[in-house]
Amino acid sequence: LERGASNLLQLSFELSGSIQSRFATIAEPRDRTFGLWQEDCFELFLRPLDCRQYWELNFAPNGDWNCFLLSDYRQGLEASNDIKIKTLKSRHLTQRYQISATLELAGDALQLNKTFWMGPAAILAAAGSRHYFALEHGNKPDFHCPDHQRRFIN
């Protein structure tokens, strides 16, 4: 995660290993879609300091995406236009897959100024089950949990 202009964030996820070969190469965002977390999905949770509301962003390897605002921990989920996906692209490297996005902050998301909480995560579906990856989670993955987020300072 990197800060661009004052209202832009640059985000990149990278996978290593043979699993990357099943993902498409995308050059732009596709459709705003619900339920992306039920299949392969990269997620980012963003929360301003000293605030209970937060955003959940979902990015699928096919280019579909979504952005939600939650009023509190797993409460009040609603689609949000406070964070727009300016770019979404991917590329295949040797034994690696990378998906990158440029996020444009507007409205309440401008609270995500220089310091905020973030929680990147990934859900990968394979052989009929889901595998969960994050900086940290307990025995049962809960990417929404504030205890599993890290402070981002730019």
Side-chain angles (χ1 to χ4, degrees), residues 42-105:
F42 300 93
E43 298 186 328
L44 180 65
F45 296 85
L46 298 169
R47 183 172 53 90
L49 294 180
D50 303 321
C51 191
R52 299 188 68 80
Q53 80 174 7
Y54 63 97
W55 288 267
E56 174 185 345
L57 291 110
N58 304 148
F59 308 96
N62 69 357
D64 290 344
W65 65 276
N66 215 329
C67 177
F68 302 99
L69 177 64
L70 292 93
S71 59
D72 202 340
Y73 173 72
R74 292 187 173 272
Q75 307 257 333
L77 176 80
E78 60 184 53
S80 173
N81 291 316
D82 289 340
I83 301 176
K84 294 183 175 38
I85 311 304
K86 286 187 62 104
T87 65
L88 183 61
K89 58 186 175 182
S90 69
R91 61 186 183 151
H92 289 269
L93 306 164
T94 305
Q95 290 293 306
R96 291 183 295 157
Y97 174 80
Q98 185 180 70
I99 186 167
S100 303
T102 301
L103 312 176
E104 182 177 17
L105 309 180

Side-chain angles (χ1 to χ4, degrees), residues 107-149:
D108 285 343
L110 289 171
Q111 297 176 62
L112 298 167
N113 51 22
K114 294 192 181 283
T115 305
F116 53 87
W117 296 100
M118 68 163 199
I123 302 165
L124 302 176
S129 62
R130 291 189 195 110
H131 303 274
Y132 302 92
F133 303 89
L135 296 176
E136 177 182 343
H137 61 74
N139 290 336
K140 183 179 178 189
D142 184 357
F143 302 145
H144 291 257
C145 181
D147 295 339
H148 302 157
Q149 297 171 0

